[in-house]
Amino acid sequence: MRPLVIRGGRVVDPSQKLDAVLDVLLADGLVAGVGENLDAPEGAETVDASGLVVAPGLIDVHVHLREPGQEHKETIRSGARAAAAGGFTTVVAMPNTDPPIDNPASVGFVLAEGLRAGGARVYPTGCITVGQAGEQLTEFGELMAAGAVAVTDDGRPVSSAGMLRMALEYALAFDLPVAVHEEELTLARGGSMNEGIIATRLGLTGIPNEAEDVMIARDLMLAELTGGRLHVQHVSTRRGVQLIREAKSRGVRVTAEATPHHFTLTDAAVEAYRTDAKMNPPLRSEADRQAVRQGVSDGTLDVIATDHAPHHYDEKEQAFEDAPNGIVGLETSLGLSYTELVGTGLLDLSALIDRMSCAPARSMGLQRMIGSLAPGYYADVTLIDPRIEWSVDPAAFLSLSRNTPFGGRALRCRAVRTIVGGRTVWQG
């Protein structure tokens, strides 16, 4: 592989507190240097990055790739390529496939298919409990040895407090993050959208904020009790944000995600029974949306993650309460996040890169390999043009699915080149 010199771009790397016009040298799959007027090795490829932002590769720690079992929605290959088109050099795959990823062989399958995909890096997670049934812990050490970077029963909560306590204690031996989907099922009552006036008017069963809040409170207490590493997924409520903020102030080992859809949309998007706006946790009120935005701004929610959840057109065309939850997000996340957060002055560009690269790497314990442009790190780089104005066209997605509520939305900022291990895997 030829060395690659990226010249004259605005290098924004929060891990090194860098924000300056510099060159970046990539060689042998690693970052070889960052500085002014770097000498190019003989035979090196040169990229003119004038006017572009050069960032450590973007990382999405919450992605559903649907393989094995639901390849009509997405495959590891299609998802890795869609990720690269969105500027992501790394994605972390959730284990709620069919069958679930709850043993070393299935973890190895995801890892191997990710290596063959030719797009973003794919890191597997393993289930917390066997079959996600909530009754028996998986073998965390064996999952980690096979390549899992975290454990999670995402898509389902760990309903038993005793089981989650054991999981946090067991994971401590391997310093594994335990990622949790926060939903108290007896409060959620099988609801299909946020509880409130709109749900009442539409005649739909609502899910109260408390279905999420009580589980966040419980799990923060368990993390404090055990000293375990807790990662709270897709936070959507104002009280949830406040609970996490207070826990962090006490030194609890917790990281937390915000999704672009939760800081961009409210439950008003469900009007006319729009199934592309159906997700779990549901879109909440304007007060909740503002709280999530503030949580991202002050670092309470330190990670922006998509919860990319592809579904086939026919599945989303069912009656609202029968349609599956989730939207695709890999190819819209950067544009939405920049437009909604940087464009409104809530974050500066360096903070956005931190939420989409450096902090995600830290949350999964990958900060020694990715999430930085320091010499010796993997040569994973995203070139971004914040000047580009574009409109979301689901028909142009590389994902196999098109389920998004953002079709036609005008955005600013887009990845123009995605480099993984020193090799360009996508170029716009």
Side-chain angles (χ1 to χ4, degrees):
M1 184 191 307
R2 294 168 62 193
L4 178 65
V5 183
I6 303 168
R7 292 212 180 273
R10 178 186 170 187
V11 176
V12 180
D13 181 3
S15 76
Q16 302 183 81
K17 296 181 171 57
L18 277 181
D19 189 344
V21 175
L22 300 167
D23 299 340
V24 178
L25 172 62
L26 310 177
D28 299 321
L30 303 174
V31 178
V34 178
E36 296 182 351
N37 303 313
L38 294 180
D39 292 331
E42 184 176 352
E45 177 186 356
T46 300
V47 173
D48 181 3
S50 302
L52 302 180
V53 172
V54 182
L58 304 184
I59 300 166
D60 190 344
V61 300
H62 192 153
V63 171
H64 299 270
L65 298 180
R66 303 304 190 200
E67 187 178 4
Q70 296 180 319
E71 290 83 356
H72 63 291
K73 301 183 181 190
E74 194 80 280
T75 63
I76 293 170
R77 179 180 293 270
S78 68
R81 291 180 174 178
F88 291 100
T89 58
T90 296
V91 296
V92 176
M94 296 296 102
N96 57 331
T97 51
D98 185 16
I101 309 299
D102 62 0
N103 59 77
S106 55
V107 169
F109 167 79
V110 174
L111 193 62
E113 288 300 306
L115 290 171
R116 282 192 283 266
R121 299 180 190 274
V122 178
Y123 286 101
T125 57
C127 296
I128 295 173
T129 63
V130 175
Q132 295 191 304
E135 297 175 356
Q136 178 185 347
L137 293 180
T138 57
E139 296 290 345
F140 291 4
E142 294 181 6
L143 296 177
M144 184 178 180
V149 297
V151 289
T152 177
D153 274 0
D154 183 51
R156 300 182 185 180
V158 179
S159 294
S160 165
M163 184 66 66
L164 189 68
R165 176 183 179 172
M166 285 193 293
L168 287 163
E169 290 174 336
Y170 185 20
L172 268 174
F174 311 101
D175 199 30
L176 268 178
V178 177
V180 284
H181 170 109
E182 303 290 37
E183 183 181 12
E184 210 294 321
L185 296 176
T186 64
L187 285 173
R189 302 180 301 154
S192 56
M193 70 168 292
N194 185 51
E195 184 175 280
I197 293 173
I198 295 173
T200 301
R201 185 168 65 248
L202 295 176
L204 297 172
T205 304
I207 302 172
N209 285 23
E210 287 74 13
E212 185 173 343
D213 296 339
V214 297
M215 293 293 274
I216 291 176
R218 183 200 76 171
D219 294 350
L220 290 169
M221 286 190 285
L222 293 175
E224 192 165 17
L225 171 67
T226 62
R229 290 179 58 189
L230 184 72
H231 180 76
V232 183
Q233 299 173 308
H234 44 49
V235 178
S236 73
T237 69
R238 53 193 182 274
R239 184 172 293 172
V241 174
Q242 184 59 30
L243 287 166
I244 294 165
R245 183 178 290 119
E246 292 167 355
K248 284 190 169 189
S249 73
R250 298 194 305 273
V252 178
R253 297 178 70 195
V254 57
T255 53
E257 302 168 1
T259 71
H261 45 275
H262 284 120
F263 60 66
T264 302
L265 301 174
T266 69
D267 54 0
V270 176
E271 292 280 13
Y273 302 96
R274 292 183 63 205
T275 57
D276 279 340
K278 183 186 179 188
M279 55 205 65
N280 189 19
L283 298 172
R284 303 285 188 182
S285 70
E286 176 62 14
D288 293 308
R289 185 181 81 94
Q290 291 297 339
V292 170
R293 290 165 64 87
Q294 187 56 46
V296 176
S297 177
D298 66 23
T300 298
L301 307 181
D302 24 19
V303 174
I304 293 174
T306 64
D307 192 8
H308 175 80
H311 292 291
H312 191 268
Y313 173 82
D314 291 343
E315 295 167 314
K316 278 289 192 178
E317 280 300 294
Q318 300 180 79
F320 191 90
E321 291 191 319
D322 296 327
N325 292 304
I327 68 171
V328 293
L330 287 169
E331 294 169 78
T332 56
S333 180
L334 176 58
L336 285 166
S337 299
Y338 185 95
T339 302
E340 288 290 325
L341 303 176
V342 179
T344 61
L346 201 62
L347 292 182
D348 61 22
L349 183 60
S350 181
L352 180 67
I353 299 302
D354 181 69
R355 306 294 188 273
M356 297 189 73
S357 178
C358 311
R362 292 192 299 268
S363 73
M364 294 292 113
L366 299 170
Q367 69 272 21
R368 291 178 295 277
M369 300 178 287
I370 57 176
S372 177
L373 294 177
Y377 275 71
Y378 288 164
D380 294 358
V381 184
T382 304
L383 301 188
I384 299 166
D385 191 339
R387 303 163 298 184
I388 290 179
E389 296 180 356
W390 59 289
S391 180
V392 177
D393 178 10
F397 287 169
L398 296 190
S399 172
L400 297 185
S401 296
R402 307 282 181 266
N403 51 304
T404 177
F406 296 112
R409 192 179 186 101
L411 299 177
R412 186 173 175 184
C413 184
R414 201 164 195 177
V416 295
R417 189 169 184 142
T418 306
I419 300 166
V420 177
R423 182 172 64 87
T424 297
V425 296
W426 185 84
Q427 187 170 357

